[in-house]
Amino acid sequence: MIRSTRRARFVALLGAGAVALAGCGGSGSAAQTSDNAANAGDVPSWCGGKKAVLGLTDGFGGNSWRLVTTAAAKAEAAKCPSITKFEYADGQGDTQKAIADIQGMVAKGVNALVVFPDAGEAVLPAIRSAYKAGVVTVPYRVDPGGKAGQDYDVFVDTDFADAGKNWGEWIKKILPAGGNVLFLSGPPGNSQGRKEAEGLHTVLDAGGKYKFIGEQPFEVTNWDPAQTQKVLTAAISQNPDIDVIVSDFGPSLVGALPVFEQSGRSIPAIAASDGNVLSCFWQDHKAKNPDFKLFTVSTQNDHSRLAVQHAVARATGGEIPASATFPSVVFEDSTSKDKPVQCKPNLPDDVYLSAEMSGEDQAKLLK
């Protein structure tokens, strides 16, 4: 019952995310930021001496992953005493609001702006406008199009195709004879999902043994737990044979997976990003579901830290990080002793054990 309650709370974060961020990712005073940096020890090389205000805009902030990722960004910024204030805005899944948020940050006078451009190229004109206005502008994770040095300072990416390739190689290992693959990602056309799909197809298309079912290149969920539950429930009812489910927001699958058991079917293999709720669900259900294997890559909450480092370095005169690419790494594999599934039942479901921030600190953040 405790875990069921927590799963309900996870879905409820959809509506509570923006409110929670007001406490964990809103504006902070210069004194508070400086104190935090002092407590963190030596000032990092990417923190220069010039004072600056840092802004962060999310295209959608309404799930636990975004709460932790934003908190990671704020914690990283707090390592630099030159950052006098941290501003945050949640686009709430509305492209027009996301555009207005970027424009609002410029109007507020931020010196540096980190942007999670969920809507991709639709927000590029606003990003370009901020850059042209003299604001250090750093989009990350979702490709907005455009060019560095022309539309923004730098795009801090990650090789999402690597995640797709890792998932694909694991699928080949556990299903050597082939099978049906259902892939779920975020908003329509998002660059993360497209690149992950490319990686999957690179590995699985040869030989024609694997069939991708559902909407292509992925089923659209907007990375919203409630929407994911609807999409996955529909897919389960429409497809009697699903051999593996792939998701770049693994925890959002949990609400719908019991539908397999309710219909007398084994939960299939899952290749996804990590999350305590998913790992503990696997622990609780693996015995009764012979096909239920689990493989995860790090959910990359700390991608925001690298984006902050680039923005702060440019705004304060610090040392620019050598790389603008955040690595994709394997985190768990239930079929391997080297990467065991990690479940902490004493912690909330909506924490990510691959993150730099401890699960205990994430739990405090999400209260």
Side-chain angles (χ1 to χ4, degrees):
M1 291 298 293
I2 293 175
R3 300 207 65 77
S4 297
T5 300
R6 286 174 176 169
R7 283 195 288 274
R9 177 179 174 276
F10 175 76
V11 174
L13 276 168
L14 169 67
V19 176
L21 278 171
C24 75
S27 301
S29 71
Q32 289 172 328
T33 305
S34 297
D35 287 346
N36 289 340
N39 292 335
D42 295 337
V43 174
S45 61
W46 47 265
C47 173
K50 185 179 179 180
K51 301 295 182 182
V53 175
L54 175 65
L56 170 64
T57 64
D58 254 340
F60 172 74
N63 61 46
S64 63
W65 187 88
R66 295 301 179 104
L67 300 181
V68 174
T69 300
T70 299
K74 187 175 183 182
E76 198 68 10
K79 297 176 182 178
C80 180
S82 299
I83 297 300
T84 60
K85 184 180 285 187
F86 179 94
E87 298 279 359
Y88 174 80
D90 175 8
Q92 301 175 359
D94 182 332
T95 300
Q96 293 307 309
K97 185 178 186 306
I99 291 170
D101 287 341
I102 295 169
Q103 296 168 338
M105 288 289 183
V106 177
K108 285 182 179 180
V110 301
N111 308 105
L113 180 62
V114 174
V115 180
F116 196 135
D118 290 72
E121 294 185 11
V123 297
L124 180 60
I127 291 172
R128 182 189 303 119
S129 179
Y131 175 71
K132 296 295 186 183
V135 177
V136 173
T137 308
V138 180
Y140 83 107
R141 199 157 182 87
V142 174
D143 189 353
K147 295 181 179 180
Q150 179 176 312
D151 301 292
Y152 42 77
D153 287 87
V154 62
F155 172 49
V156 178
D157 65 358
T158 187
D159 195 343
F160 289 116
D162 276 355
K165 291 174 183 176
N166 284 329
W167 290 329
E169 293 293 348
W170 182 74
I171 291 169
K172 285 177 64 176
K173 183 178 75 170
I174 65 164
L175 296 170
N180 293 330
V181 181
L182 176 68
F183 177 37
L184 291 76
S185 184
N190 79 84
S191 63
Q192 175 176 347
R194 293 200 311 270
K195 292 294 184 181
E196 291 164 342
E198 289 174 10
L200 278 165
H201 283 279
T202 296
V203 174
L204 297 180
D205 281 357
K209 294 188 294 184
Y210 301 91
K211 178 182 178 182
F212 285 81
I213 57 178
E215 185 177 347
Q216 299 300 313
F218 51 78
E219 288 280 1
V220 172
T221 70
N222 297 323
W223 294 311
D224 172 349
Q227 180 66 16
T228 300
Q229 185 167 346
K230 293 179 182 178
V231 170
L232 184 53
T233 299
I236 293 169
S237 66
Q238 295 165 8
N239 297 279
D241 296 311
I242 301 175
D243 297 297
V244 60
I245 299 171
V246 181
S247 170
D248 52 14
F249 188 25
S252 64
L253 299 175
V254 170
L257 291 178
V259 173
F260 284 102
E261 296 175 315
Q262 293 162 9
S263 60
R265 297 157 62 182
S266 174
I267 298 172
I270 304 290
S273 61
D274 82 285
N276 198 41
V277 62
L278 180 60
S279 299
C280 291
F281 183 89
W282 178 82
Q283 291 279 17
D284 293 343
H285 293 259
K286 62 178 180 177
K288 295 183 179 180
N289 292 272
D291 300 325
F292 191 12
K293 300 175 179 66
L294 180 64
F295 178 92
T296 68
V297 296
S298 166
T299 196
Q300 296 188 314
N301 297 96
D302 299 313
H303 194 168
S304 62
R305 293 180 185 269
L306 182 59
V308 164
Q309 291 174 13
H310 274 274
V312 171
R314 288 167 169 78
T316 66
E319 181 180 333
I320 295 174
S323 175
T325 298
F326 193 78
S328 176
V329 297
V330 175
F331 184 60
E332 300 165 304
D333 181 354
S334 69
T335 69
S336 170
K337 294 181 180 179
D338 295 332
K339 300 283 185 179
V341 175
Q342 299 186 34
C343 163
K344 290 194 175 182
N346 59 314
L347 292 178
D349 284 341
D350 40 355
V351 301
Y352 304 88
L353 299 178
S354 64
E356 179 179 324
M357 182 182 294
S358 70
E360 289 76 13
D361 284 344
Q362 291 179 51
K364 294 174 185 176
L365 167 71
L366 297 168
K367 284 183 178 179

